[in-house]
Amino acid sequence: METGEIKLLYDKLTLSLDNEDLGKSFYEMLTAETGPKIIDFDDFSNNKLQVVTELPCINGDEEFRPDITILINGLPLVFIEVKKPNNLDGIQAEYKRMESRFRNKKFRKFVNLTQMMVFSNNMPYDDEGLQPLQERILYHHRVWQS
């Protein structure tokens, strides 16, 4: 890809992250069948995966630091919050904090970029409980109406 094409793709990605569409336009670019590939889904080994801890998400005075962030080709697409075992409020409280953050327009780019969120309290999964609280996985991409 030529330098001009890379800049054009970067500008297009940046603009898509400002949309108020819960990441729909970014997701469509991420999974596009034609044009430049942001992620190689055909041969995933062609992608660069990195895991970092406490990566700050900052916009002005607002910031938060997910416990673990997974980057694919440099894009922070997955974050994981890990809480103390036997702390049921930990997962629920973090989930509520995340909902609140995602309503904050200062975090729109991060919301639109995030493809999966995982909340865990480091306990074995209990699939017999009425409301399994050990782990919660949220796929951020939504079903959009045409």
Side-chain angles (χ1 to χ4, degrees), residues 13-118:
L13 277 172
T14 301
L15 284 174
S16 77
L17 295 176
D18 283 328
N19 291 340
E20 290 191 38
D21 64 356
L22 291 174
K24 179 182 179 186
S25 55
F26 174 73
Y27 177 77
E28 289 170 349
M29 290 177 68
L30 199 63
T31 59
E33 296 289 324
T34 60
K37 300 286 184 197
I38 299 167
I39 296 177
D40 186 344
F41 290 103
D42 296 325
D43 184 356
F44 210 73
S45 67
N46 288 331
N47 300 297
K48 182 175 183 179
L49 280 79
Q50 297 168 299
V51 178
V52 296
T53 58
E54 302 276 331
L55 180 70
C57 301
I58 303 170
N59 188 347
D61 296 349
E62 302 281 337
E63 88 171 73
F64 70 100
R65 298 170 189 261
D67 293 331
I68 301 168
T69 303
I70 300 174
L71 297 98
I72 302 175
N73 297 334
L75 297 171
L77 301 179
V78 179
F79 78 81
I80 303 167
E81 289 290 342
V82 183
K83 301 303 166 200
K84 294 179 183 178
N86 297 312
N87 181 359
L88 296 181
D89 284 343
I91 291 176
Q92 297 294 12
E94 188 59 40
Y95 176 71
K96 288 176 184 173
R97 276 192 295 276
M98 204 49 59
E99 280 184 322
S100 173
R101 285 181 188 129
F102 278 16
R103 283 191 291 272
N104 183 339
K105 290 187 179 195
K106 289 188 175 188
F107 292 119
R108 178 173 295 129
K109 286 184 179 184
F110 186 74
V111 171
N112 287 344
L113 194 60
T114 302
Q115 298 301 302
M116 185 189 310
M117 299 174 275
V118 179

Side-chain angles (χ1 to χ4, degrees), residues 88 92 123-135:
L88 296 181
Q92 297 294 12
M123 293 178 62
Y125 189 74
D126 174 15
D127 59 359
E128 294 180 18
L130 295 177
Q131 183 178 7
L133 297 175
Q134 282 73 17
E135 295 182 16

